[in-house]
Amino acid sequence: MNTKVEQAEQAVSAADIAKYVLAAAIVAGGIFAFYWFSQWPGPVRGLVAAAGVVLGAVVMASTAKGRQTREFVSESLFELRKVVWPTRQETLRITGVILVVVVIVSLILSGFDFVISWLIRLLLGQ
């Protein structure tokens, strides 16, 4: 069996569960503070809620799933460095081709619609 799968199955420990609960409580506390302190200015309340989300994410990052997520993100960024992105000229050319194809297909569909509606009117005698 794959060792990463085995690690993922064994990763849920009591400490991780406690960290999940703590992270959820921190996020809930930030959202609660946003609504409870309605007399505070809006930007300050927004910062408090954002701080709750960020602190909750930091706590979540210290769990086994958080480490797996960080590893996945780092591997994804490594793979993104291998991607050969199109040049501006290639992008504009492809965009133009797509626009032309969309116009042609829409004209074909509108032609089908016109013919079908004409046939239905002919059959109904209108």
Side-chain angles (χ1 to χ4, degrees):
M1 191 173 200
N2 190 349
T3 58
K4 286 188 178 184
V5 172
E6 290 172 359
Q7 290 172 355
E9 291 173 352
Q10 299 170 357
V12 180
S13 66
D16 282 348
I17 293 173
K19 289 177 186 177
Y20 295 148
V21 171
L22 178 63
I26 291 172
V27 171
I31 294 171
F32 175 79
F34 178 83
Y35 289 107
W36 185 260
F37 297 109
S38 60
Q39 71 276 12
W40 289 4
V44 173
R45 291 172 45 217
L47 285 174
V48 168
V53 171
V54 168
L55 288 174
V58 167
V59 171
M60 279 292 273
S62 67
T63 64
K65 288 290 183 190
R67 285 186 289 279
Q68 290 174 354
T69 303
R70 284 195 314 269
E71 181 181 334
F72 174 77
V73 169
S74 68
E75 289 175 5
S76 298
L77 291 174
F78 178 74
E79 291 296 325
L80 274 176
R81 283 187 237 129
K82 296 179 183 179
V83 174
V84 178
W85 298 101
T87 64
R88 180 176 173 84
Q89 183 181 7
E90 291 171 336
T91 303
L92 291 174
R93 186 177 299 136
I94 291 171
T95 303
V97 168
I98 290 172
L99 289 174
V100 168
V101 169
V102 166
V103 168
I104 291 171
V105 169
S106 65
L107 289 174
I108 291 171
L109 290 175
S110 65
F112 286 153
D113 181 49
F114 177 75
V115 169
I116 291 170
S117 64
W118 178 75
L119 288 172
I120 289 174
R121 274 186 268 133
L122 185 68
L123 288 172
L124 294 177
Q126 294 180 353

